[in-house]
């Protein structure tokens, strides 16, 4: 505990862990209960909302909205920020989250996850949108849950990265890895190669290097792409490597969302000794302007992220 600490942040992390246990229970029974498939409506992202997206979103909101700890929350599945505590907007913390990451993998039993990001409330009278639009550097905590072969929760409060595994026999998360550090360089690169023709030349040349065809054979890597950001990120965090979702001519600002995908994972990876860029600048330095704004994301081992940034700049400055 730290000087002046009230325990509210610890309790908020427990609230999130409770929500994660409930969501994990739903995920483990998917197929046996009617929670797979689409709800038949399009969310604010323009995506076909899945039943589990809605269940996860409601579960997290219900776990935190009346505790007095969270003043305002924002979710990938909510068009606008939600002021909590009966609309008073009072509470020490702001919670931003992607309730269910990797929705396209729900029905095919591939790892999916939840990502969350926590800030201090700025407007003590009544928190709102401006409390949600803080730079990633201001985060006080960030984490993710991965519903994979086991359910793991990884988070940081700025004092290292710690990993827990859910023991279903006792319903508790048990510490498995304290102070996770990611390798300086890794053997994997993760990118959706079907976007190859949509990328700028710099990203094409960079990925060719990872394939051993770009003239930098020391950068040859093995390809792994799960299609769930949490799963691709978690593998690279532990074994080393780089995940890329660059801007392209279909998604000029990239596909992934800054506030509840890129920022929390960037906080985690920097605490683990890695790096996260939008291709030009560190993710955590971006000044948000919109709740659901997207960003290009290059994240993982520091030397690999720096290689991508350098190679893209080299190729594109020579054009
Ligand atoms: P979400 O399910 O929350 O919308 O996130 C999906 C994201 C991310 O998990 C993954 O890395 C990426 O979408 C995959 O996108 P592509 O299918 O375009 O590769
Ligand atoms: Mn997501
Ligand atoms: Mn999602």
């Amino acid at each position: 505990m730290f000087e002046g600490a009230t325990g509210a942040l610890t309790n908020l992390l427990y609230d999130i862990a409770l929500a994660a246990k409930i969501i994990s229970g739903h995920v483990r029974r998917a197929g046996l209960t009617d929670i797979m498939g689409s709800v038949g409506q399009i969310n604010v992202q323009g995506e076909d909302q899945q039943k589990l997206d809605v269940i996860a979103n409601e579960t997290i909101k219900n776990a935190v909205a009346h505790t007095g700890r969270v003043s305002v929350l924002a979710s990938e599945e909510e068009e606008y920020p939600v002021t909590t505590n009966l609309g008073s907007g009072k509470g020490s913390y702001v919670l931003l989250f992607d309730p269910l990451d990797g929705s396209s993998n729900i029905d095919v039993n591939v790892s999916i996850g939840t990502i969350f990001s926590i800030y201090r409330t700025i407007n003590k009278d009544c928190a709102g949108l401006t409390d949600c639009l803080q730079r990633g550097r201001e985060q006080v905590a960030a984490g993710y849950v991965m519903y994979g072969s086991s359910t793991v929760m990884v988070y940081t409060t700025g004092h290292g990265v710690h990993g827990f595994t859910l023991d279903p026999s006792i319903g508790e998360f048990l510490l498995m890895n304290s102070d996770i550090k990611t390798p300086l360089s890794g053997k994997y690169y993760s990118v959706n190669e079907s976007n190859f023709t949509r990328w700028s030349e710099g990203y094409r040349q960079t990925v060719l290097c990872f394939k051993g065809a770009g003239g930098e054979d020391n950068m040859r890597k093995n390809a792994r792409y799960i299609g769930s950001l949490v799963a691709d990120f978690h593998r690279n965090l532990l074994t080393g490597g780089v995940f890329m979702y660059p801007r392209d001519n279909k998604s000029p600002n990239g596909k992934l969302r800054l506030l509840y995908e890129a920022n929390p994972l960037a906080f985690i990876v920097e605490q683990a000794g890695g790096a996260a860029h939008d291709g030009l600048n560190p993710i955590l330095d971006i000044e948000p302007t919109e709740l659901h704004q997207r960003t290009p994301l290059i994240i993982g081992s520091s030397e690999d992220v720096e290689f991508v940034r350098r190679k893209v700049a080299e190729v594109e400055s020579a054009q």
Side-chain angles (χ1 to χ4, degrees), residues 47 76 98 100-103 192 225 227 229 245 255 257:
E47 294 163 346
E76 178 186 278
D98 175 0
L100 210 292
D101 173 69
S103 303
N192 183 336
Y225 192 73
L229 172 60
Y245 209 110
K255 171 183 182 180
R257 278 60 52 134

Side-chain angles (χ1 to χ4, degrees), residues 189-208 211 225 227 232 243-256 294-297 316:
Y189 77 98
S190 309
V191 70
N192 183 336
E193 307 234 13
S194 70
N195 293 323
F196 188 88
T197 55
R198 297 186 174 120
W199 296 331
S200 64
E201 187 58 21
Y203 285 102
R204 292 183 193 168
Q205 288 301 319
T206 299
V207 169
L208 286 174
K211 292 171 182 285
Y225 192 73
D232 281 314
F243 172 94
M244 302 162 63
Y245 209 110
R247 66 177 82 252
D248 60 39
N249 59 26
K250 177 185 163 203
S251 312
N253 297 315
K255 171 183 182 180
L256 299 173
R294 297 176 190 251
T295 177
L297 179 63
E316 297 189 354

Side-chain angles (χ1 to χ4, degrees), residues 14 80 114 122 217 219 221 243 307:
Y14 271 109
Y80 304 107
T114 296
I122 300 170
D217 290 350
M219 289 309 291
K221 295 186 184 298
F243 172 94
F307 171 77

Side-chain angles (χ1 to χ4, degrees), residues 79-265:
E79 184 163 4
Y80 304 107
V82 177
T83 45
T84 56
N85 303 316
L86 305 176
S88 70
K90 292 203 183 319
S92 304
Y93 296 105
V94 176
L95 176 65
L96 313 177
F97 58 97
D98 175 0
L100 210 292
D101 173 69
S103 303
S104 62
N105 283 325
I106 294 171
D107 291 0
V108 292
N109 208 24
V110 170
S111 297
I112 51 183
T114 296
I115 312 172
F116 63 90
S117 171
I118 300 172
Y119 294 83
R120 283 189 186 77
T121 299
I122 300 170
N123 300 297
K124 300 290 185 197
D125 295 338
C126 183
L129 177 60
T130 50
D131 296 80
C132 301
L133 299 179
Q134 300 183 51
R135 273 184 332 136
R137 293 248 178 256
E138 304 304 319
Q139 290 176 97
V140 292
Y144 60 87
V145 182
M146 188 171 77
Y147 313 103
S149 46
S150 62
T151 295
V152 299
M153 181 169 180
V154 175
Y155 80 86
T156 184
T157 58
H159 303 279
V161 177
H162 312 292
F164 299 76
T165 299
L166 180 62
D167 180 339
S169 68
I170 57 172
E172 284 300 344
F173 280 102
L174 305 180
L175 179 66
M176 298 304 281
N177 322 66
S178 68
D179 202 16
I180 297 171
K181 291 297 179 196
T182 195
L184 289 176
S185 178
K187 59 185 174 184
Y188 294 125
Y189 77 98
S190 309
V191 70
N192 183 336
E193 307 234 13
S194 70
N195 293 323
F196 188 88
T197 55
R198 297 186 174 120
W199 296 331
S200 64
E201 187 58 21
Y203 285 102
R204 292 183 193 168
Q205 288 301 319
T206 299
V207 169
L208 286 174
C209 289
F210 291 151
K211 292 171 182 285
E216 306 219 21
D217 290 350
N218 62 320
M219 289 309 291
R220 189 185 182 98
K221 295 186 184 298
N222 208 344
R224 287 284 187 283
Y225 192 73
I226 298 170
S228 297
L229 172 60
V230 168
D232 281 314
F233 175 83
H234 185 72
R235 181 203 52 248
N236 290 356
L237 179 75
L238 299 185
T239 62
V242 58
F243 172 94
M244 302 162 63
Y245 209 110
R247 66 177 82 252
D248 60 39
N249 59 26
K250 177 185 163 203
S251 312
N253 297 315
K255 171 183 182 180
L256 299 173
R257 278 60 52 134
L258 173 63
L259 292 186
Y260 37 79
E261 289 177 313
N263 267 337
L265 298 185

